[in-house]
Amino acid sequence: MNDLVAVVLMLAALFGPPLVLRLLVVGAAARAAKEPWLRRSLLRAPLHRGFYRFAVRVPSYPVDPYNLSVPVEILPFGDGRPGERMWLPCRPATRQRDLGPDGSRADVTVQVAPDLRFTVVCLGRIGWEYHGHVLTAAHERVLPQPGGPVAWEPPFYEATTPIGPAWRRTVLLPGGRRLTDVHLDHDGWAYVIGVLHAPTRQDAEWFRDVILRTWTWIDAGTGRT
């Protein structure tokens, strides 16, 4: 294939066939081009680069979310709050090592499926005040707050988790997704552990508790479990 044909194929790809076919044609034209400058131009085309940007962003999920094979350790921060160890089905997507302005720390966020995300947040020390808001105990802060774009789904009740008593609530988010979380306190520190899931996902809370069965606290003073 000569360079003229390669140019024609590129033009046809840009203005004719569907997107996937365009990408295939541009790639084939680049491989067939004899002149290095033309090959570089084809590979640097916005359409081609866009394809690779898209490909890089395609998320991957564990084949079996219940295969908890990845150990995760969140060390104590140094301000008295404990740390924790747990096992997850894959590496966490994000882990916040610094505190937020309100003293909170996002310990773990892991997307295990398109319709299931698991999160752990240490809200701070109970009694801390930030912008006039006092961080209360779990049984008080679980009560729904009026207003906002979300709806609260009753009931709100005390629940038993593998790491201690907690208080459960579910928030209905725009688009139909649900955030079911449990609030609990440990050594004077407030935690919220949630699962963001589709309404059709029936095992969301079960999945959360499976992870919590692997959970051990790390003492802030000694670093021991």
Side-chain angles (χ1 to χ4, degrees), residues 2 12-13 22 33 41 44 79 86 93 95 99 104 116 123 127 154 163 168 175 202 209:
N2 58 36
R22 296 179 196 174
S41 297
R44 292 173 181 173
D79 57 357
M86 69 192 76
R95 189 184 302 177
L99 299 184
S104 64
L116 183 61
L123 299 175
I163 59 174
R168 174 196 178 278
Q202 301 298 317
D209 286 350

Side-chain angles (χ1 to χ4, degrees), residues 12-186:
L14 292 174
F15 298 104
L19 177 60
V20 174
L21 183 56
R22 296 179 196 174
L23 295 171
L24 293 175
V25 172
V26 170
R31 288 194 298 271
K34 296 179 180 179
E35 294 293 338
W37 67 267
L38 180 57
R39 186 180 301 112
R40 288 194 298 268
S41 297
L42 287 166
L43 292 177
R44 292 173 181 173
L47 184 62
H48 202 271
R49 294 203 309 271
F51 169 74
Y52 283 108
R53 285 199 299 270
F54 170 79
V56 168
R57 293 176 183 174
V58 173
S60 60
Y61 307 106
V63 175
D64 179 7
Y66 288 94
N67 180 20
L68 307 182
S69 57
V70 179
V72 174
E73 183 179 73
I74 307 299
L75 296 176
F77 189 75
D79 57 357
R81 77 185 69 208
E84 61 263 15
R85 296 187 181 96
M86 69 192 76
W87 288 78
L88 298 173
C90 57
R91 296 177 64 84
T94 58
R95 189 184 302 177
Q96 179 177 314
R97 301 186 183 278
D98 298 325
L99 299 184
D102 59 350
S104 64
R105 182 184 68 184
D107 289 354
V108 170
T109 299
V110 57
Q111 187 85 31
V112 298
D115 58 351
L116 183 61
R117 179 189 300 172
F118 173 81
T119 61
V120 178
V121 177
C122 177
L123 299 175
R125 186 184 292 276
I126 298 172
W128 277 3
E129 182 176 349
Y130 178 73
H131 285 185
H133 172 74
V134 178
L135 184 58
T136 58
H139 69 279
E140 297 180 24
R141 66 176 182 271
V142 76
L143 298 176
Q145 303 297 319
V150 301
W152 304 87
E153 182 181 86
F156 314 101
Y157 57 84
E158 186 173 1
T160 301
T161 73
I163 59 174
W167 279 261
R168 174 196 178 278
R169 70 178 180 183
T170 296
V171 181
L172 304 180
L173 301 175
R177 293 183 302 169
R178 283 173 165 80
L179 174 62
T180 301
D181 56 24
V182 290
H183 286 252
L184 58 87
D185 303 327
H186 180 77

